[in-house]
Amino acid sequence: MAEEDAGDSALAAVFDRQDAGELDPGEPEMPTEAKAVEAGAEAPATRETAADHTIALFTEFAGPHYDPVEHRKILGPSVERSWRPEGTARQTAAIMASPGRAPRLGSVRVPTLVIHGLVDPLVRPSGGIATAMAVPHSRLVMLPDMGHDLPRPRWNDMIGEIAATTSAAERGLLGRRILRPGRVAPSSG
């Protein structure tokens, strides 16, 4: 999250674990959340099982465009370059222990785009809506066929939304008015 003085930055990236009571986090379905936390807490035992472990985890929370064959191609070199099984448990613990950022989201003063998947089982759509509503002058784009991932078939849509937000910021259109959140991008073929 962009928390400090953002200066003339065009965009602020907001990744937040919304806490209950601060903003509606869009409570995940417990079976999926439990599986994700369990999978994240149990590091794969060997380099050989690391890819299978990661693919099983992504299968639980990625959207319908998830391609395990393509993901495996990336995972092989990634595991070879840096296999740190203890890192997953550390990251999961850090996420769970981090305080929510909701109180500070209202102080973000740079144009912000929130892109959220409507089929995200870890952070329901209401979490994306709450984040966008908490950040002044933000734009919200809901992608109907995106889970808790950044699917390749949606990259052009996301790039277009980032470019539109940046362009509006450069023209001085953001910060003067609130862009209405709630746009749902149509499914890409």
Side-chain angles (χ1 to χ4, degrees):
M1 176 180 155
E3 296 179 29
E4 307 303 322
D5 180 21
D8 294 326
S9 299
L11 297 171
V14 179
F15 299 94
D16 195 10
R17 177 186 67 80
Q18 301 294 345
D19 286 336
E22 291 188 49
L23 296 176
D24 177 7
E27 289 298 322
E29 296 177 24
M30 287 311 292
T32 301
E33 179 185 56
K35 289 177 188 175
V37 170
E38 179 181 302
E42 295 177 14
T46 66
R47 283 183 189 267
E48 292 74 29
T49 61
D52 291 336
H53 174 83
T54 301
I55 287 170
L57 179 62
F58 270 73
T59 299
E60 290 295 325
F61 61 77
H65 296 295
Y66 177 64
D67 185 345
V69 174
E70 286 299 313
H71 195 188
R72 188 175 295 280
K73 291 176 187 176
I74 296 168
L75 286 171
S78 178
V79 168
E80 286 304 313
R81 181 182 66 250
S82 178
W83 182 66
R84 304 284 188 275
E86 66 281 0
T88 303
R90 246 191 337 266
Q91 181 179 2
T92 301
I95 290 168
M96 300 310 286
S98 295
R101 295 175 182 92
R104 295 187 310 246
L105 290 177
S107 66
V108 173
R109 295 291 181 251
V110 295
T112 304
L113 171 65
V114 177
I115 299 176
H116 197 89
L118 287 174
V119 294
D120 184 337
L122 293 181
V123 180
R124 294 258 176 106
S126 58
I129 292 167
T131 297
M133 295 301 290
V135 178
H137 313 294
S138 67
R139 291 186 62 228
L140 172 65
V141 175
M142 306 292 283
L143 299 176
D145 54 348
M146 186 170 95
H148 199 78
D149 62 342
L150 300 171
R152 184 178 296 270
R154 282 302 196 159
W155 286 2
N156 286 337
D157 297 321
M158 290 184 269
I159 290 167
E161 294 294 344
I162 293 167
T165 302
T166 303
S167 176
E170 289 171 346
R171 293 189 322 257
L173 297 178
L174 297 178
R176 292 187 186 159
R177 60 186 173 88
I178 295 176
L179 296 175
R180 185 169 39 118
R183 177 178 179 272
V184 175
S187 295
S188 54

